[in-house]
């Protein structure tokens, strides 16, 4: 398994990270343990969770994923696992957190309460990477960053990162950290896949110049790139099949991921993968970890049978011919997810 440094920190991680957001909803604890064990055996040392997991957020599920990961962590040597989690952003916008009665915010009060609760659920006295799950562009960045800096100084957090952030938000936060002497973000966790290359427009250059690593989530575009939604299919138990039934915000998200352009581009990527002698899951995972601004790509699984094609990408580097074919599809179907 290839490894890479997170930002300018001292932490190196496997170039594939196992995400956990379905543990406790789509995947039960026994299944989650098997996925985590097989990931570690495959050379993956990096695991990502959040206080707001599992998804979709429900108050009765709040913190369940961290509890599952914490019980699994007790069976391992703590130092062999690089563990990342997140504090919820504000609940007055697109997402309402399942934590703190849906009254979350990025202020000192919430950051401190969130980390203490996460450490308890995870059964550890520190996390390696602590991230803001989504931003609040109307709030003072100094307050959240000051609280995060204190956590680093206290040894409860090794490094910090952001998620779902814009170029303005990333650069503003780095400027605040530099001005105030706070810890800087070493990572940014944003959506990035063959079907969503918008990160390359501006954020990629900001990351290169500022020494910040992208740890992309959804490299399979929410499972769309596996081909399981091709032809209008809605497989039973699949994430977006469930989201369509739920309606509201979840249905809107499903429509963004599953549309005429995203399915058409997926079909083309399947052909490229077959010509390269690999599954489209392996192709998409390998592609997402290959750019210079990426440290590790966050994958997810709800069953063990999904793992082999993901793990196969661990030591794959796509050649220039394959990359050119991929780029041609991306130009033909520009921004499939809008």
């Amino acid at each position: 398994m290839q490894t890479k440094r997170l930002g300018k920190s001292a932490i190196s991680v496997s170039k594939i990270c196992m995400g956990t957001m379905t543990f406790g909803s789509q995947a039960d604890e026994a299944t989650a343990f098997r996925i985590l064990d097989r990931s570690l055996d495959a050379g993956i040392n990096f695991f990502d969770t959040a206080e707001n997991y599992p998804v979709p957020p429900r108050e009765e599920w709040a913190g369940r994923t961290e509890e599952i990961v914490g019980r699994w962590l007790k069976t391992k040597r703590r130092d062999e696992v690089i563990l990342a989690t997140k504090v919820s952003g504000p609940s007055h916008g697109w997402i309402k957190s399942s934590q703190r009665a849906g009254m979350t915010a990025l202020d000192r009060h919430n950051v401190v309460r969130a980390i203490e609760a996460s450490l308890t659920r995870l059964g550890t006295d520190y996390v390696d990477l602590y991230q803001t799950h989504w931003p609040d562009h109307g709030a003072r960045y100094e307050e959240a960053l000051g609280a995060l800096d204190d956590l680093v100084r206290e040894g409860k957090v090794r490094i910090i990162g952001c998620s779902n952030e814009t170029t303005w938000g990333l650069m503003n936060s780095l400027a605040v950290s530099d001005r105030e002497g706070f810890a800087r973000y070493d990572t940014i966790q944003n959506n990035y896949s063959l079907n969503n290359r918008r990160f390359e427009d501006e954020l990629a250059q900001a990351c290169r110049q500022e020494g910040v690593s992208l740890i992309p989530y959804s490299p399979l575009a929410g499972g769309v790139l596996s081909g399981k939604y091709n032809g209008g299919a809605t497989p039973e138990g699949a994430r977006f099949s469930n989201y369509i039934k739920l309606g509201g915000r979840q249905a809107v998200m499903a429509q963004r991921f599953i549309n005429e352009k995203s399915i058409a581009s997926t079909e083309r990527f399947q052909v490229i993968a077959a010509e390269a002698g690999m599954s489209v899951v392996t192709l998409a995972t390998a592609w997402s970890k290959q750019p210079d601004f990426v440290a590790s790509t966050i994958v997810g699984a709800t069953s063990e049978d999904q793992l082999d094609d993901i793990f196969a990408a661990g030591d794959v580097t796509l050649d220039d011919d394959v990359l050119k074919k991929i780029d041609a599809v991306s130009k033909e179907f520009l921004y499939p997810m809008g």
Side-chain angles (χ1 to χ4, degrees):
M1 181 70 66
Q2 300 164 337
T3 61
K4 195 168 180 180
R5 184 185 301 271
L6 292 177
K8 293 185 178 180
S9 77
I11 301 176
S12 290
V13 298
S14 53
K15 292 195 71 174
I16 294 178
C17 170
M18 180 54 66
T20 63
M21 71 178 185
T22 61
F23 294 175
S25 56
Q26 288 180 267
D28 62 21
E29 184 163 326
T31 301
F33 272 38
R34 290 193 296 270
I35 290 170
L36 293 168
D37 281 339
R38 285 195 57 190
S39 299
L40 198 61
D41 290 343
I44 294 172
N45 68 358
F46 191 22
F47 300 86
D48 179 73
T49 189
E51 67 163 348
N52 198 40
Y53 291 164
V55 296
R58 294 183 184 174
E59 192 165 353
E60 64 268 28
W61 290 353
R64 183 183 292 181
T65 302
E66 286 185 325
E67 291 171 352
I68 291 172
V69 173
R71 286 190 285 271
W72 173 78
L73 193 61
K74 289 184 186 300
T75 70
K76 310 302 172 189
R77 294 175 297 172
R78 176 65 184 88
D79 289 341
E80 71 179 323
V81 173
I82 304 299
L83 184 61
T85 192
K86 311 178 196 74
V87 53
S88 295
S91 286
H92 54 252
W94 172 247
I95 300 175
K96 183 175 182 179
S97 177
S98 59
Q99 293 289 348
R100 296 183 287 289
M103 295 292 286
T104 57
L106 289 178
D107 59 6
R108 180 172 292 276
H109 169 79
N110 274 273
V111 169
V112 171
R113 290 192 68 193
I115 190 63
E116 294 295 349
S118 287
L119 291 176
T120 297
R121 287 189 291 266
L122 292 166
T124 183
D125 59 355
Y126 75 97
V127 293
D128 299 278
L129 170 62
Y130 198 45
Q131 305 152 97
T132 53
H133 204 156
W134 59 92
D136 186 350
H137 292 157
R140 294 183 296 271
Y141 272 54
E142 288 83 352
E143 184 166 0
L145 287 164
L148 292 169
D149 182 70
D150 286 346
L151 297 181
V152 174
R153 295 176 188 275
E154 292 166 8
K156 295 177 181 177
V157 171
R158 293 178 69 187
I159 63 173
I160 60 173
C162 57
S163 186
N164 298 297
E165 187 55 283
T166 64
T167 307
W168 178 89
L170 175 63
M171 295 305 297
N172 184 52
S173 64
L174 295 175
V176 168
S177 290
D178 290 346
R179 185 180 69 240
E180 302 294 334
F182 295 153
R184 285 175 121 241
Y185 287 147
D186 276 301
T187 63
I188 179 171
Q189 183 179 150
N190 277 31
N191 189 294
Y192 180 63
S193 72
L194 287 170
N195 275 352
N196 183 14
R197 298 181 64 168
R198 282 197 175 275
F199 195 91
E200 297 172 4
D201 293 346
E202 290 184 349
L203 272 163
Q205 184 64 1
C207 285
R208 291 186 182 103
Q209 296 300 321
E210 295 293 334
V212 176
S213 294
L214 171 64
I215 47 176
Y217 69 83
S218 204
L220 300 183
V224 173
L225 285 164
S226 71
K228 63 185 175 183
Y229 298 104
N230 285 11
T234 53
E236 185 66 30
R239 178 186 176 193
F240 291 133
S241 299
N242 294 335
Y243 278 19
I244 291 168
K245 294 176 185 177
L246 285 170
R249 186 183 74 85
Q250 277 77 30
V252 173
M253 181 185 294
Q255 290 163 8
R256 181 188 176 211
F257 280 79
I258 305 171
N259 58 66
E260 185 177 336
K261 287 175 68 176
S262 69
I263 296 302
S265 61
T266 294
E267 291 171 347
R268 294 285 295 276
F269 292 133
Q270 286 179 303
V271 173
I272 295 171
E275 291 173 348
M278 64 185 75
S279 77
V280 69
V281 169
T282 301
L283 177 86
T285 305
W287 178 88
S288 68
K289 71 182 178 61
Q290 194 157 324
D292 62 321
F293 50 85
V294 171
S296 180
T297 189
I298 303 173
V299 300
T302 57
S303 63
E304 287 183 89
D305 59 11
Q306 298 170 327
L307 296 176
D308 288 343
D309 284 346
I310 293 171
F311 293 164
D315 58 1
V316 170
T317 300
L318 302 177
D319 62 34
D320 288 343
D321 181 57
V322 171
L323 293 176
K324 287 177 182 177
K325 292 178 181 178
I326 288 171
D327 288 344
V329 174
S330 295
K331 289 177 182 177
E332 182 178 352
F333 299 99
L334 193 62
Y335 302 129
M337 289 173 52

